[in-house]
Amino acid sequence: MKEFKLSADEIAQILHHVDATAPSTYVSIVGSMNADHVVEVEAMPKAGETIIGGPMAIHPGGKSANQASSCAHLHMHTHMLGAVGADANADFLLQALSKVGVDIYGIEHVDGPTGSTIIVVDRSGENFIVVSSGANGRIDTDFVQRHHSVIAQSKILGLCLEAPRDVVQESARIAHEVGTTVVLNISPMPDDADKTAKQSLADAADIAIMNEHETAQWLSLDSEPTTESDWQAIDAQLAATGLQRVVVTLGAAGAVVLDDDNHAQSASLRIVHVPAFTVKPVDTTGAGDAFMGSMLACLASGNALASSCAVASAVSAYSTLGKGAQSSYGDAAQIIDFLA
Ligand code: ADP
């Protein structure tokens, strides 16, 4: 498969350009914010068993908040739209976002708990994750309407499926009315993704992004794609479900970009492989969100999808070098240093 790579200088140029375009454009992200409660254990408890774990660490998380944080880390003007509850976790999440420059005026306060996640990680790095949606589940189409103008005036809208489905659909509808590009992270994969549900999600997305497992679930695949012809078949199957522009992330194997814009150089370039950077990861939590957030920042400053993914590959590799999600993200200067 054709590789799409950018040099360290080209990535640095794009990052400088993101910074320079930020005052005149912005990204809006509608969705989830969670306080991630992480406990490390020797081995996973069995059903009904009680075990002693290590100290509890609390990290700011939630897919949408992570994506907003990654986008803002690159100095793109970023509006987060969503809800937090009436507890200490609300302040914790808002502080983490505002500290990195995310615009939090579109975050509403509701009664009850803020979204939170319980994550148990064992010695081998295997994890169990339980999400309690809390305030994230309290946003609805009225909420989206109250923030109509923020969505409509953004260059790019980022969505994921931790937000209620009607919120995703209504946000995408507003964006499409005015020609704002919608990037939908098809994650977590819904249990009820029948043909109709997939079609309405595909209608919402101008660009879809998901990891290899989610892609396999979406298409009910039983083997991992490896060769160019496997990817051609996947491209055709994704198109049959309504997805035309897709990024599939492959962890340490990088990402595959399916997009007609890749045509610029040759007709065979609809499918390109964006390689990952070689690192010794400490914690890959939130790498996918680092990828998506930085991709949004690059798209908003006018870059093609493949170039945006090549930058995102560097940004997400950097994020695997620190613990947690948002707490491991780097700014433009740190990414440029890392590449050097
Ligand atoms: P998710 O976190 O959504 O499962 P992935 O695991 O596919 O997403 O990771 C997203 C991106 O992060 C990858 O496409 C790659 O660019 C980068 N990445 C993830 N793990 C590694 C790794 N071990 N080494 C280098 N880059 C990585």
Side-chain angles (χ1 to χ4, degrees), residues 188-191 193 198 211-221:
M189 185 58 61
D191 298 331
K198 282 181 188 164
N211 68 24
E212 56 195 317
H213 311 295
E214 290 148 355
T215 308
Q217 278 175 281
W218 180 267
L219 295 177
S220 308
L221 300 178

Side-chain angles (χ1 to χ4, degrees), residues 4-23:
F4 187 95
K5 265 194 201 169
L6 295 179
S7 67
D9 278 352
E10 288 169 321
I11 293 175
Q13 255 175 30
I14 291 180
L15 292 173
H16 289 312
H17 185 61
V18 169
D19 198 357
T21 47

Side-chain angles (χ1 to χ4, degrees), residues 34 41 46 52 71 104 112 115 122 146 196-198 205 213 224 237 243 250 261 268 276 287 298 325 333:
N34 291 326
V41 297
K46 298 183 188 63
I52 306 289
C71 189
I104 59 169
D122 77 10
R146 284 197 291 283
T196 323
K198 282 181 188 164
H213 311 295
E224 308 247 315
Q237 289 173 52
L243 298 176
L250 309 168
D261 271 6
S268 63
C298 296

Side-chain angles (χ1 to χ4, degrees), residues 63 211-214 249-252 254-255 275-279 281 284 286-289 291 312-313 316-317 320:
K63 284 188 146 301
N211 68 24
E212 56 195 317
H213 311 295
E214 290 148 355
T249 62
L250 309 168
F277 285 77
T278 307
V279 287
T284 60
D289 297 330
F291 190 104
S313 181
S316 53
T320 68

